């Protein structure tokens, strides 16, 4: 098994090293690729010193499994090269997520979609992965009609440069210096601001549009109504999402809690007495999606509304872990969950 990581120096690429080591996916060789700027650099990757090579077509030849984590432009250019070379490709970018021939997979939700892959599987957007897991836990029992989501997204969703910016800016502001934004247009330290992706003609930014399109695709619910507002908060890692769901039928809060507790990858953290609910810090470094503040929504008629919050580490389950789980499924190292098996 020869593995290649494209974008190994990035936030997702480095997390992939940790996840691969922890899950023990066996490989004989792992080549780490990045831009020509990083060629020759020694980094610690998967707990060992490793050398970075520049990405080119030759570096992809002979690979069995390639993880792309270097952005959509790089994926558009080099994913076809890797496929041509016979590799199974897991793409973390948005480049192929809308292509109906490319499965878009959250293993706990629609793992069986992997069966139809043609050498390329897309890893969904991080906010979408964190959202679809609790939604699926509910939707498979009581069809969801409408979802309203507000996100509180960590800066690491924008990569290593954004993480450095939060660290440096926080220090600068505490020292009384003015913030100098580079990775984001707005200052990120001590601030909350609209997600940094471009805003389209309909007023939605790209992140919001991805969540809508990808959630419908993963849940196989093309007509599900979704309204999404994405924000950045000065948190290093783990997104938190506030979710309001309207169901087809009345929903019992206790049933909802039980369905969420039964869902793989979900941990219900909902202790009203102690005020213990999901936080981004508790989700950081965890493989689980924390779900809490589960309560009836009195603004929806007929008892058909539910409110909750969920938080997940978007570098792990929102990116690297989901990508490795996809590989494990595709390589036959994990059982294939049939859609609706757990219903
Ligand atoms: N961050 C997240 O939470 C998250 C979650 C889900 C999906 N994703 C997606 O994962 C991908 C990577 O995101 P990230 O946050 O890890 O970004 P990042 O921290 O900015 O890392 C980008 C990586 O791409 C490499 N790269 C840039 N230009 C390149 C080129 N011309 N040739 C080869 N490699 C190049 C960089 O190498 P150098 O170090 O040499 O520049 C670096 O390794 C993106 O598509 C992103 O949308 C990210």
């Amino acid at each position: 098994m020869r593995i290649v990581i494209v974008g190994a120096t990035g936030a997702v690429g480095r997390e992939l090293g940790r996840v691969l080591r922890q899950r023990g996916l066996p490989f004989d060789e792992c080549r780490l690729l990045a831009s020509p700027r990083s060629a020759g650099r020694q980094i610690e990757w998967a707990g060992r010193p490793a050398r970075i090579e520049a990405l080119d077509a030759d570096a992809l030849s002979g690979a069995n499994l390639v993880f792309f984590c270097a952005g959509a432009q790089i994926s558009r250019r080099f994913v076809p090269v890797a496929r041509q070379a016979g590799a199974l490709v897991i793409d973390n970018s948005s480049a192929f997520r809308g292509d109906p021939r490319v499965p878009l997979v959250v293993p706990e939700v629609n793992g069986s979609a992997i069966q139809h892959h043609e050498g390329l599987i897309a890893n969904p957007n991080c906010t979408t992965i964190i959202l679809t897991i609790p939604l699926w836990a509910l939707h498979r029992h009581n069809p969801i009609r409408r979802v309203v989501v507000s996100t509180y997204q960590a800066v690491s969703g924008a990569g290593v440069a954004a993480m450095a910016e939060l660290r440096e800016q926080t220090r600068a502001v505490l020292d009384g210096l003015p913030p100098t934004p580079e990775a984001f247009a707005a200052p990120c330290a001590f601030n909350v601001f609209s997600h940094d992706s471009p805003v389209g003609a309909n007023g939605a930014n790209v992140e919001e549009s991805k969540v809508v399109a990808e959630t419908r695709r993963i849940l196989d619910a093309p007509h599900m109504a979704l309204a999404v507002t994405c924000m950045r908060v000065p948190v290093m890692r783990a997104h938190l999402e506030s979710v309001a769901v309207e169901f087809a039928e009345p929903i019992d809060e206790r049933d909802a809690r039980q369905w969420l507790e039964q869902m793989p990858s979900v941990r219900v953290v909902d202790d009203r007495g102690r005020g213990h609910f999901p936080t981004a810090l508790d989700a950081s470094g965890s493989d689980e999606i924390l779900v809490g503040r589960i309560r009836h929504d009195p603004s929806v008629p007929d008892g058909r509304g539910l409110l909750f919050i969920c938080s997940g580490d978007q570098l792990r389950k929102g990116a690297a872990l989901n990508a490795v789980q996809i590989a494990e499924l595709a390589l036959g190292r994990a059982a294939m969950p049939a859609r609706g098996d757990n219903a």
Side-chain angles (χ1 to χ4, degrees), residues 7-13 34-38 41 55 69-72 74 92-93 97 126 156-160 314-315 318-319:
T9 53
V12 176
S35 77
R37 296 180 293 275
S38 300
R41 241 180 98 192
L55 167 65
C69 10
I74 296 292
N92 280 290
S93 84
R97 290 182 192 148
C126 48
S156 53
V160 284
Q314 92 293 337
L315 289 176

Side-chain angles (χ1 to χ4, degrees), residues 70-293:
Q73 272 189 346
I74 296 292
S75 289
R76 275 188 212 104
R77 191 164 154 213
F78 285 98
V79 164
V81 178
R83 290 175 80 187
Q84 191 71 38
L88 168 65
V89 175
I90 318 283
D91 184 29
N92 280 290
S93 84
S94 58
F96 302 97
R97 290 182 192 148
D99 185 335
R101 293 162 303 179
V102 179
L104 180 70
V105 176
V106 180
E108 299 85 337
V109 179
N110 67 336
S112 56
I114 274 175
Q115 283 161 340
H116 310 294
H117 81 79
E118 297 169 12
L120 170 60
I121 303 164
N123 200 20
N125 163 276
C126 48
T127 311
T128 309
I129 294 175
I130 293 163
L131 177 66
T132 50
I133 291 174
L135 286 187
W136 176 240
L138 303 166
H139 180 66
R140 63 187 173 165
H141 293 284
N142 187 347
I144 293 173
R145 292 274 177 267
R146 179 170 184 250
V147 186
V148 180
V149 188
S150 302
T151 73
Y152 306 74
Q153 297 187 219
V155 296
S156 53
V160 284
M163 294 165 84
E165 181 148 317
L166 178 59
R167 253 182 241 114
E168 285 153 23
Q169 232 177 59
T170 303
R171 256 187 229 117
V173 173
L174 288 173
D175 288 343
L177 300 167
T180 45
E182 284 176 22
F184 299 111
C188 62
F190 305 100
N191 200 8
V192 177
F193 55 99
S194 184
H195 191 277
D196 35 289
S197 55
V199 176
N202 64 354
N205 63 41
V206 168
E207 181 82 352
E208 291 158 355
S209 301
K210 283 180 189 173
V211 175
V212 172
E214 295 181 26
T215 299
R216 286 179 178 151
R217 209 182 150 202
I218 294 161
L219 297 181
D220 193 17
H223 305 298
M224 185 181 282
L226 285 120
V228 184
T229 303
C230 292
M231 308 293 287
R232 285 263 186 231
V233 293
V235 164
M236 194 54 81
R237 57 191 286 171
H239 294 346
L240 192 144
E241 306 179 26
S242 162
V243 187
V245 185
E246 187 177 328
F247 296 89
E249 303 294 334
I251 181 120
D252 184 299
E253 190 188 296
R254 282 162 306 181
D255 286 345
R257 186 172 279 103
Q258 195 186 1
W259 297 337
L260 286 161
E261 278 165 353
Q262 288 165 351
M263 181 71 197
S265 297
V266 165
R267 178 153 55 96
V268 172
V269 180
D270 204 21
D271 187 338
R272 292 177 184 173
R274 292 186 192 165
H276 190 207
F277 303 113
T279 69
L281 274 186
D282 286 341
S284 297
S286 167
D287 289 350
E288 294 169 313
I289 309 297
L290 311 184
V291 182
R293 299 296 322 279

